[in-house]
Amino acid sequence: MKTIIDDIKKNEFKKVYLLYGEEDYLKKQYRDKLKQALVGDDTMNFSYYEGDSVDIKQVISMCETLPFFSDRRVVILENSGAVKSANDELADYIKELPDYLVLILVEKEIDKRNKVYKAIDKVGYVCELKPQTTATLKKWIVGILGKEGLKISVDGCELLLSKTGADMNLIRQEMDKLISYCQGKEGITAQDVEVVCSTQTTSHIFDMIEAMANHNQRKALELYYELLTLKEPPMRILYLIVRQFNGILQAKEFSSMGLSSKDVASKMGVAPFIAGKYLSQSKYFTITKLKEALNECADVEERVKQGRLNDKLAVELIIVKYSENVK
């Protein structure tokens, strides 16, 4: 990220940039910073392509078009899958980009063995935008709110992150609500956060697994019914339960190797406070029990797909079993 900021400050740019990773907010921010620095509001010399159905030949053709009354042409290619699937034509083109062109690729997933990736890495700059650490997120929250003349309490900040998770888009949305609600107040308290901010589905899932781990069947089912009231499909809830169990299993296995919480977070590619929650919940489960739960979830999903089990009941059965029988 520092390289991009330095390039903008110096007004000296690479021919190609690759922004990838799970943090969509930062990808958008740095994509837009580059675009603004390179061409500003000049629409004549800027082209944007999105999706895996994009014709790469058309993109290359646009790249070959000389800029109009400008030194630069900027082309952004987003979520095309070009850095994951084979595309020799684009890989070869990237090796010999014209001097007037800056090509920016934005992707969720990439394959470092891919020829396009190797070409970008050789002639341009690759930037992975991962979930940020808890400390970084707190600093960012304080900074954004500070610009609005607002301070947030330590408890308020912790509660906000517990509701949103590490997704910066969600955090920013909830901060906008807080800014509107708390204008004129001395600061933002945990009570303000509780009143204003939405609890995301992932937070419900964390709490549901916590309730199951503590044999609090009533609480676990209450959270499930709340999600259904919020129009969450049962199969999506099951998917999130599976993801949570997978996270707990990975954290437990890494922890058993002697890794620290920070190292576990790094290995899993999640924010440290998320890894901390996984590790906290892992003490309630054995590795055998977690694998059993994952196998049962897979079996239940298959039965639902075959029409042998109602989807709402299927998830309820998982919750009931593992809130009664978890050891």
Side-chain angles (χ1 to χ4, degrees), residues 269-307:
V270 300
F273 82 93
I274 298 292
K277 286 191 173 185
Y278 284 143
L279 288 167
S280 174
Q281 292 181 344
S282 72
K283 63 187 178 184
Y284 297 108
F285 300 89
T286 63
I287 288 177
T288 300
K289 183 60 70 175
L290 288 164
K291 289 181 176 178
E292 177 192 313
L294 288 167
N295 287 333
E296 185 143 357
C297 286
D299 178 62
V300 161
E301 182 181 11
E302 186 63 26
R303 287 159 64 194
V304 170
K305 287 179 179 176
Q306 293 173 349

Side-chain angles (χ1 to χ4, degrees), residues 24-292:
D24 292 333
Y25 181 89
L26 288 178
K27 283 190 295 185
K28 180 178 183 298
Q29 290 290 307
Y30 282 94
R31 177 200 70 189
D32 292 350
K33 283 178 187 291
L34 281 168
K35 188 256 182 184
Q36 185 62 35
L38 286 160
V39 290
D41 298 325
D42 177 3
T43 57
M44 293 290 293
N45 296 296
F46 169 69
S47 300
Y48 177 79
Y49 299 90
E50 182 179 19
D52 56 11
S53 61
V54 168
D55 184 346
I56 296 298
K57 290 183 184 295
Q58 182 182 349
V59 175
I60 292 175
S61 176
M62 180 56 69
C63 291
E64 285 290 285
T65 305
L66 288 168
F68 186 72
F69 290 114
S70 174
D71 295 331
R72 293 192 185 105
R73 175 168 293 283
V74 174
V75 175
I76 294 178
L77 180 59
E78 188 157 1
N79 296 326
S80 67
V83 196
K84 192 175 181 184
S85 56
N87 196 302
D88 290 351
E89 186 176 10
L90 182 59
D92 291 340
Y93 183 70
I94 286 171
K95 293 173 186 176
E96 298 184 11
L97 293 173
D99 291 337
Y100 59 78
L101 178 72
V102 176
L103 177 62
I104 302 168
L105 291 91
V106 185
E107 297 289 343
K108 183 82 171 179
E109 297 178 349
I110 58 105
D111 183 347
K112 292 185 178 181
R113 299 167 298 179
N114 180 279
K115 289 183 179 179
V116 175
Y117 175 87
K118 290 179 179 178
I120 297 170
D121 193 37
K122 186 173 182 180
V123 304
Y125 176 64
V126 176
C127 182
E128 182 181 6
L129 296 160
K130 298 186 279 190
Q132 299 298 287
T133 65
T134 308
T136 300
L137 290 173
K138 287 179 178 178
K139 186 177 179 180
W140 176 62
I141 290 168
V142 169
I144 294 289
L145 294 175
K147 289 177 183 177
E148 300 293 333
L150 290 167
K151 293 182 179 180
I152 186 168
S153 68
V154 173
D155 289 346
C157 196
E158 292 282 356
L159 182 59
L160 175 60
L161 287 173
S162 75
K163 285 178 172 287
T164 60
D167 188 316
M168 293 178 76
N169 273 322
L170 290 176
I171 298 170
R172 180 70 224 216
Q173 289 171 22
E174 298 306 318
M175 278 199 289
D176 287 341
K177 294 181 191 177
L178 286 167
I179 289 165
S180 296
Y181 180 78
C182 296
Q183 283 296 339
K185 297 184 67 173
E186 290 185 4
I188 299 171
T189 65
Q191 184 177 358
D192 294 324
V193 174
E194 193 63 62
V195 169
V196 174
C197 297
S198 305
T199 300
Q200 301 300 321
T201 299
T202 49
S203 180
H204 269 74
I205 299 297
F206 268 118
D207 293 342
M208 185 190 299
I209 299 295
E210 190 81 38
M212 291 163 67
N214 287 300
H215 313 289
N216 191 342
Q217 187 179 96
R218 180 178 176 180
K219 179 66 175 176
L221 288 172
E222 279 179 0
L223 289 164
Y224 176 51
Y225 299 144
E226 279 181 27
L227 288 171
L228 294 177
T229 302
L230 293 169
K231 307 298 183 185
E232 283 289 349
M235 286 297 95
R236 172 168 163 73
I237 296 171
L238 181 62
Y239 161 77
L240 291 170
I241 289 173
V242 168
R243 191 173 73 173
Q244 181 74 0
F245 276 136
N246 262 321
I248 295 170
L249 177 59
Q250 286 183 59
K252 193 171 187 71
E253 289 179 331
F254 284 134
S255 179
S256 68
M257 298 175 191
L259 272 64
S260 67
S261 177
K262 183 180 178 181
D263 289 337
V264 170
S266 177
K267 285 281 189 182
M268 294 180 66
V270 300
F273 82 93
I274 298 292
K277 286 191 173 185
Y278 284 143
L279 288 167
S280 174
Q281 292 181 344
S282 72
K283 63 187 178 184
Y284 297 108
F285 300 89
T286 63
I287 288 177
T288 300
K289 183 60 70 175
L290 288 164
K291 289 181 176 178
E292 177 192 313

Side-chain angles (χ1 to χ4, degrees), residues 310-324:
N310 173 272
D311 57 357
K312 181 180 174 182
L313 177 61
V315 180
E316 192 168 314
L317 289 172
I318 292 290
I319 293 169
V320 167
K321 176 172 181 178
Y322 288 93
S323 56
E324 279 183 342

